[in-house]
Amino acid sequence: GERVAVLVVIDHPDSTRVGERFLVRGEKGFGSFQDPVADQAAMALAQEGLSGDPGMESGLRTVPLTGGGEASVYLELHHPPLEMVIVGAGHLAQPLCTLGALLGLRVMILDDRPEFATRERFPEAEEVRRVDFSDPFAGINLHPWSHVLLVTRGHRYDFECLRKVLQHDPLPGYIGMIGSRRRVRATFDSLLEEGFSRDALRRVWAPIGLDIGAETPAEIAVSVAAEIVQVWRGGPGGSMREAERVLDRLMGPRSVGNEGQGGKEDSI
């Protein structure tokens, strides 16, 4: 579950250097490219890759060499698995757990009620824990690849859990909280008064989910899962039909004289 980067020389002016490796774990580097300039650049690349930005990916990079020139290296990033931490084990948590598992996330369920936090109710979850909502994340390593969903049975629990999660450094990659606009505003007002920054609150997706008119727990879960994918991929979230307008582009502008004449447009 740790963040580790490995850099491997792919191409080098000195072919004997191909295959050399440099590993970075935290603030420490292991191994060497036998070149102080290349080692320094490799360390900088690795630390950038391990900075917590989920958008950083493994791939080819270049590093400068002492005396000029450069080498091609492959940056291989290893990070904790993508996970969904669902705080609250009510009716909404069940379809969220199912969809999170379908998306390839490691799902963890947290609740303070033993009759709700059970393996039988969440067979797809990797872990089900009974916790105290005053400190629900005790012993849990949240990280930039964590998706925390606050869907407890009461607003006051959501508020307490949000306060706790915002104290983590680094923050999870996604923080979502259920609630009406009024309740979300009241929560943000209280947190601002306590000294939390606006930048921290901007990291919270609340009310949670895309606006698709969802009403049932399953529909709400779909809207939340769609928002998570949107955060990953950066899509606009609109209708594909409206974005592509296939029929409009296929038919093109229609003249008034052709309407109703059984022409090509009418046969499409």
Side-chain angles (χ1 to χ4, degrees), residues 141-156:
N141 178 33
L142 297 179
H143 48 73
W145 292 271
S146 299
H147 301 72
V148 177
L149 311 182
L150 305 178
V151 292
T152 72
R153 65 183 180 278
H155 174 65
R156 67 187 181 97

Side-chain angles (χ1 to χ4, degrees), residues 197-216:
S197 70
R198 289 183 177 271
D199 286 341
L201 297 185
R202 288 192 182 98
R203 299 287 298 273
V204 182
W205 296 81
I208 197 171
L210 297 185
D211 184 6
I212 59 174
E215 295 184 2
T216 68

Side-chain angles (χ1 to χ4, degrees), residues 1-2 10 47 74 76 85 104 112 121-122 205 215 251:
E2 295 186 52
I10 303 299
Q47 291 183 333
Y74 188 85
E76 185 177 305
V85 181
D112 62 347
R121 298 187 74 240
F122 299 97
W205 296 81
E215 295 184 2
M251 298 180 68

Side-chain angles (χ1 to χ4, degrees), residues 123-177:
E124 302 97 342
E126 288 284 333
E127 188 174 355
V128 180
R129 287 193 188 189
R130 184 185 176 189
V131 300
D132 185 337
F133 281 154
S134 65
D135 192 11
F137 308 107
I140 297 174
N141 178 33
L142 297 179
H143 48 73
W145 292 271
S146 299
H147 301 72
V148 177
L149 311 182
L150 305 178
V151 292
T152 72
R153 65 183 180 278
H155 174 65
R156 67 187 181 97
Y157 298 118
D158 290 331
F159 176 79
E160 292 296 333
C161 294
L162 180 59
R163 175 195 280 134
K164 287 294 183 181
V165 77
L166 288 175
Q167 294 172 0
H168 276 260
D169 184 23
L171 288 175
Y174 177 93
I175 305 169
M177 185 181 72

Side-chain angles (χ1 to χ4, degrees), residues 62-138:
T62 58
V63 295
L65 300 173
T66 300
E70 60 184 22
S72 177
V73 299
Y74 188 85
L75 174 64
E76 185 177 305
L77 299 173
H78 300 270
H79 54 72
L82 291 167
E83 66 179 4
M84 176 183 285
V85 181
I86 303 174
V87 187
H91 297 307
L92 177 55
Q94 289 179 300
L96 280 173
C97 179
T98 299
L99 290 173
L102 284 172
L103 289 173
L105 300 172
R106 179 184 180 275
V107 182
M108 178 185 296
I109 305 294
L110 308 179
D111 203 287
D112 62 347
R113 299 166 292 177
E115 68 273 21
F116 280 78
T118 66
R119 173 62 61 187
E120 290 73 23
R121 298 187 74 240
F122 299 97
E124 302 97 342
E126 288 284 333
E127 188 174 355
V128 180
R129 287 193 188 189
R130 184 185 176 189
V131 300
D132 185 337
F133 281 154
S134 65
D135 192 11
F137 308 107

